[in-house]
């Protein structure tokens, strides 16, 4: 993102001032994350050290953490939940946004507002009736119960609709002339051309699902089988064992950071674009 | 967990799909299928919306008129408006609403004021260095709330934490009623500030430079241009961020409070969102929780309505 060419030329001192502000903010933002990783990589005896560089490096805290909690199992569970949730949300949102963008039909605005309106409903409000329904379906303390309530993502519908609204309609019209059904047009014309948007959205949905706390906390009251809850119970039982705790916290962020390091610009743009109408 | 709030006001009406070449005789069944197609595509999404958002909203309203302890074996006793009366008489409820207001107002410097200052101060920074800064300040937005609770607990630890050792104090920030709420505000602000800066920068990129040029020709100083032209043109972005702060304070603070303070010390961090959770899953008072939820939903609707109305009133549309 570059700001629009400002008509006022930027003198050197102003650029330097801008750099100074950004360095200060960036350091403040990154320090806790750096400290989390630095602490986790110190030798277990050096955890309380204030030296900015964790040296000598050691994986001792990670070994301790794996002995205390089944971190690997938790990560696999969380990965499965997030992947299924993201794919499900993507599929549901794709079908819905296709309908909104390619057709005009009765109640279109009303239905669209029904999606927008979900943001006015905090989940604490709907939590009890949903808990009762999940209980009746036998999904409490079951990973499926974490996934199902999240499958309809209004965010996904709105983002894909924006992309589809600017989709070249000639392509669709040409395929219609060939007498193809809307279903086959969706999969052979629209989806292949929408790949970048779908990829960006799926990463965004995956990260959201990975960091999700509220639904797992409601549904998995006794089994703590995703990494966020595993970390919470670790904080409760091993209160001051900072080294292993930072190791578990680091592992809880690991996949998201790995994605971010590889695809940072795309992720930043996807999140920011989703925040702008 | 993250959502974006779109323009609530004018959902774009899509252009009608290109006219289909009229076939000599379309089979009636195919015509029905064509008319039904959009509804069929919407079915899964709308069904999920109804089951997981709108049904429970209505049920919560019903539940708020019953007394029930969440156990399937106990009967639900209708009590009319009794839950609402109890709620309004409980000092905890009023206190928690007030704490929620303090929380949202305390977040605004992080989500609105600082991001605007930073975005304006850093317009001159371009190119590669800008991309590096962006990816650094955005990173906290992706940290899982529980992981951030863990690391902040470590940073703020009274004995061994970095912050106290640098300050030379032994304050137990998280356990002091006077500071606990501000710890929650600080951590949430830390999560959010990078995102807000990028949103403001993106908003500024969309503001046309012509007005500023015209004003400059008329002899306006840079400061005047920023204050009287650029900032008003940014108002939709600013209203969006304010709305976001209100709507998301519910989601962002809950995991932190649940892992760090459980609403304590002595209720200092029990805001309305945590109170609902507490009534439902700790006191098992489903009716009371649902009644508080209904009031919260109404409050949310009013705030969102006012903000959207404001943005309509004060927005200087750049057209």
């Amino acid at each position: 993102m570059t700001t629009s060419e400002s008509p006022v030329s930027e003198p050197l001192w102003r650029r330097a001032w801008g750099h100074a502000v950004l360095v200060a903010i960036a350091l403040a933002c990154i320090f806790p994350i750096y400290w989390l990783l630095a602490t986790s990589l110190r030798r277990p005896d050096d955890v309380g050290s204030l030296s900015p560089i964790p040296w000598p490096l050691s994986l001792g805290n990670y070994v301790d953490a794996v002995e205390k909690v089944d971190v690997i199992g938790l990560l696999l569970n969380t990965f499965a939940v997030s992947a299924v949730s993201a794919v499900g949300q993507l599929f549901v949102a794709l079908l819905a946004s296709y309908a909104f963008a390619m057709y005009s039909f009765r109640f279109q605005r009303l239905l669209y507002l029904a999606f927008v309106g979900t943001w006015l409903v905090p989940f604490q409000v709907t939590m009890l009736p949903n808990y009762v329904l999940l209980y009746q379906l036998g999904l409490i303390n079951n990973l499926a119960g974490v996934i199902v309530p999240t499958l309809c993502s209004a965010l996904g519908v709105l983002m894909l609709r924006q992309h589809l609204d600017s989709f070249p309609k000639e392509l669709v019209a040409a395929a219609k002339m060939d007498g193809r059904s809307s279903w086959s047009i969706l999969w052979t014309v629209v989806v292949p051309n929408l790949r970048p948007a779908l990829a960006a959205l799926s990463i965004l949905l995956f990260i959201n699902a990975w960091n999700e706390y509220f639904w797992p906390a409601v549904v998995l009251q006794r089994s703590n089988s995703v990494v966020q809850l595993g970390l919470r119970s670790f904080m409760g039982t091993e209160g001051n064992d900072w080294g292993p705790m930072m190791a578990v916290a680091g592992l809880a962020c690991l996949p998201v950071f790995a994605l971010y390091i590889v695809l940072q610009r795309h992720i930043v743009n996807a999140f920011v674009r989703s925040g702008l109408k | 967990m993250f959502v974006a709030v779109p323009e609530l006001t004018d959902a774009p009406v899509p252009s009608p799909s290109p006219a289909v070449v009229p076939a000599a005789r379309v089979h009636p069944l195919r015509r029905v299928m064509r008319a039904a197609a959009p509804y069929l595509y919407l079915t899964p999404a709308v069904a999920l919306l109804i089951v997981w958002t709108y049904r429970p909203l209505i049920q919560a309203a019903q539940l708020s008129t019953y007394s029930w302890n969440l156990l399937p074996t106990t009967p639900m006793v209708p009590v009319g408006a009794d839950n609402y009366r109890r709620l309004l008489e409980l000092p905890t409820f009023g206190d928690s609403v007030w704490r929620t207001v303090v929380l949202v107002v305390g977040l605004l410097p992080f989500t609105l004021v600082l991001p605007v200052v930073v975005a304006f101060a850093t317009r001159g920074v371009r190119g590669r260095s800008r991309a590096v800064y962006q990816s650094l300040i955005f990173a906290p937005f992706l940290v899982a709330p529980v992981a951030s609770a863990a690391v902040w607990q470590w940073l703020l630890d009274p004995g061994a934490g970095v912050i106290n050792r640098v300050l030379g104090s032994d304050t137990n920030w998280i356990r002091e009623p006077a500071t606990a709420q501000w710890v929650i505000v600080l951590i949430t602000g830390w999560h959010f500030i990078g995102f807000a800066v990028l949103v403001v920068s993106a908003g500024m990129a969309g503001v046309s430079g012509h007005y500023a040029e015209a004003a400059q020709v008329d002899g306006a100083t840079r400061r005047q241009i920023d204050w009287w032209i650029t900032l008003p043109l940014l108002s939709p972005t600013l209203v969006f961020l304010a709305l976001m702060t209100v709507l998301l304070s519910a989601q962002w603070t809950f995991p932190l409070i649940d892992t760090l303070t459980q609403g304590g010390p002595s209720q200092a961090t029990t805001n309305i969102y945590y109170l609902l959770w507490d009534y439902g899953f700790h006191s098992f008072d489903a009716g009371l929780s649902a009644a508080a939820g209904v009031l919260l939903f109404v409050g949310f609707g009013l705030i969102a309505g006012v903000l959207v109305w404001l943005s309509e009133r004060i927005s200087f549309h750049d057209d």
Side-chain angles (χ1 to χ4, degrees):
Chain A
M1 274 174 328
T2 53
T3 40
S4 60
E5 278 308 316
S6 131
V8 192
S9 62
E10 300 281 351
L12 186 63
W13 67 266
R14 193 168 274 141
R15 275 215 305 271
W17 169 239
H19 275 282
V21 170
L22 280 172
V23 166
I25 295 260
L27 283 178
C29 283
I30 214 72
F31 177 75
I33 300 176
Y34 174 77
W35 203 247
L36 187 160
L37 296 172
T39 305
S40 72
L41 289 167
R42 289 179 203 278
R43 281 190 320 204
D45 307 339
D46 299 345
V47 162
S49 151
L50 284 187
S51 70
I53 311 283
W55 198 259
L57 288 174
S58 120
L59 289 176
N61 288 322
Y62 286 87
V63 175
D64 285 354
V66 172
E67 278 169 5
K68 286 185 170 123
V69 214
D70 174 21
V71 182
I72 308 299
L74 291 178
L75 289 174
L76 289 174
N77 277 348
T78 317
F79 189 87
V81 166
S82 311
V84 173
S85 173
V87 169
Q89 289 182 51
L90 198 64
F91 181 72
V92 170
L94 179 66
L95 295 188
S97 57
Y98 185 63
F100 278 125
M102 299 293 167
Y103 291 89
S104 345
F105 48 94
R106 286 188 65 178
F107 308 122
Q108 188 159 11
R109 278 195 79 121
L110 181 71
L111 284 167
Y112 191 71
L113 283 176
F115 282 91
V116 175
T118 54
W119 279 309
L120 296 180
V121 187
F123 38 56
Q124 285 92 341
V125 176
T126 53
M127 126 192 123
L128 291 176
N130 281 341
Y131 178 79
V132 172
L133 179 63
L134 285 167
Y135 179 86
Q136 286 161 347
L137 296 171
L139 292 177
I140 295 297
N141 290 322
N142 178 334
L143 289 179
V146 179
I147 298 171
V148 175
T150 64
L151 281 180
C152 182
S153 142
L155 168 73
V157 174
L158 305 188
M159 269 185 81
L160 282 179
R161 182 192 173 155
Q162 277 173 35
H163 282 285
L164 280 169
D165 275 340
S166 57
F167 190 82
K169 297 279 187 290
E170 314 70 80
L171 287 176
V172 179
K176 272 207 175 118
M177 300 274 261
D178 296 346
R180 281 204 263 157
S181 68
S182 64
W183 182 252
S184 97
I185 293 174
L186 170 63
W187 295 107
T188 58
V189 178
V190 173
V191 169
N193 285 298
L194 211 59
R195 236 174 242 152
L198 291 171
L201 181 61
S202 59
I203 289 168
L204 200 145
L205 294 172
F206 179 86
I207 291 176
N208 280 344
W210 182 277
N211 289 343
E212 175 68 52
Y213 177 84
F214 186 84
W215 274 116
V218 170
V219 175
L220 307 172
Q221 299 213 330
R222 265 177 285 293
S223 56
N224 289 340
S225 47
V226 294
V227 76
Q228 311 298 343
L229 299 184
L231 177 56
R232 178 184 65 174
S233 71
F234 192 86
M235 285 168 74
T237 53
E238 312 278 339
N240 289 332
D241 207 347
W242 300 113
M245 193 201 285
M246 291 304 112
V248 178
L251 289 170
C253 298
L254 188 69
V256 173
F257 283 162
L259 274 175
Y260 188 53
I261 286 166
V262 177
L263 301 163
Q264 45 183 296
R265 190 161 309 174
H266 300 284
I267 293 179
V268 170
N269 286 344
F271 272 104
V272 171
R273 206 174 321 116
S274 73
L276 294 167
K277 104 111 192 327
Chain B
M1 196 34 230
F2 164 77
V3 297
V5 184
E7 295 267 328
L8 292 159
T9 44
D10 48 350
V13 180
S15 52
S17 49
V20 182
V21 180
R25 283 182 44 205
V26 181
H27 195 282
L29 186 65
R30 284 203 62 172
R31 198 160 346 135
V32 170
M33 273 303 289
R34 194 170 297 149
Y39 300 105
L40 291 175
Y41 282 120
L42 277 169
T43 302
V46 171
L48 285 163
L49 270 193
I50 291 171
V51 171
W52 297 108
T53 305
Y54 292 109
R55 174 202 58 90
L57 191 60
I58 293 164
Q59 280 197 338
Q62 290 169 336
L63 194 58
S64 70
T65 62
Y66 286 90
S67 169
W68 183 47
N69 66 0
L70 272 176
L71 288 176
T73 47
T74 48
M76 294 165 70
V77 183
V79 291
D82 202 36
N83 285 321
Y84 291 94
R85 218 190 49 243
R86 261 200 313 155
L87 197 60
L88 296 176
E89 281 167 5
L90 278 171
T92 13
F93 179 70
D95 290 349
S96 75
V97 170
W98 172 241
R99 284 193 201 100
T100 312
V101 172
V102 170
L103 175 83
V104 170
V105 172
L107 279 174
L108 286 174
F110 291 99
T111 57
L112 206 62
V113 183
L114 267 173
V116 169
V117 172
V118 172
F120 273 93
T122 60
R123 272 175 301 186
V125 181
R126 299 264 159 82
R128 275 206 80 100
S129 51
R130 187 177 185 87
V132 171
Y133 291 130
Q134 277 184 351
S135 48
L136 289 177
I137 59 175
F138 187 74
F141 193 76
L142 301 175
V143 175
V146 190
S148 100
V151 72
W152 282 96
Q153 197 177 24
W154 167 221
L155 290 168
L156 293 166
D157 185 72
V162 177
I163 291 177
N164 278 326
R165 281 162 71 183
V166 169
L167 295 175
S169 73
D170 57 355
T171 316
N172 196 341
W173 305 96
I174 296 172
R175 299 260 178 280
E176 285 287 336
T179 54
Q181 169 87 300
W182 301 112
V183 169
I184 300 293
V185 168
L186 172 77
I187 302 176
T188 313
W190 169 76
H191 271 293
F192 210 92
I193 188 168
F195 174 77
V197 169
L198 298 190
V199 168
V200 177
S201 299
M204 279 170 69
V207 169
S208 140
H210 299 307
Y211 302 97
E213 269 166 49
Q216 216 193 346
V217 170
D218 291 341
T221 64
R222 185 186 171 101
R223 186 155 302 193
Q224 285 173 318
I225 293 175
D226 284 350
W227 187 252
W228 295 108
I229 295 174
T230 315
L231 208 55
L233 284 172
L234 272 179
S235 55
T237 307
L238 304 184
V239 170
F240 162 75
L241 281 175
L243 187 63
M244 193 99 155
T245 309
V246 176
L247 295 183
L248 291 187
S249 57
Q251 286 180 3
W252 286 78
T253 56
F254 176 80
L256 296 172
I257 293 170
D258 199 35
T259 45
L260 286 176
T261 66
Q262 288 82 43
S266 52
Q267 303 277 306
T269 55
T270 302
N271 59 29
I272 180 77
Y273 317 116
Y274 196 77
L275 192 74
L276 288 176
W277 172 260
D278 200 54
Y279 283 162
F281 288 117
H282 295 159
S283 329
F284 297 109
D285 193 336
L288 203 59
S289 179
V294 169
L295 292 181
L296 172 63
F297 171 68
V298 172
F300 257 40
L302 286 175
I303 291 169
V306 166
L307 278 170
V308 168
W309 176 79
L310 260 181
S311 78
E312 289 295 288
R313 282 294 303 273
I314 64 172
S315 282
F316 295 82
H317 286 295
D318 175 9
D319 33 19

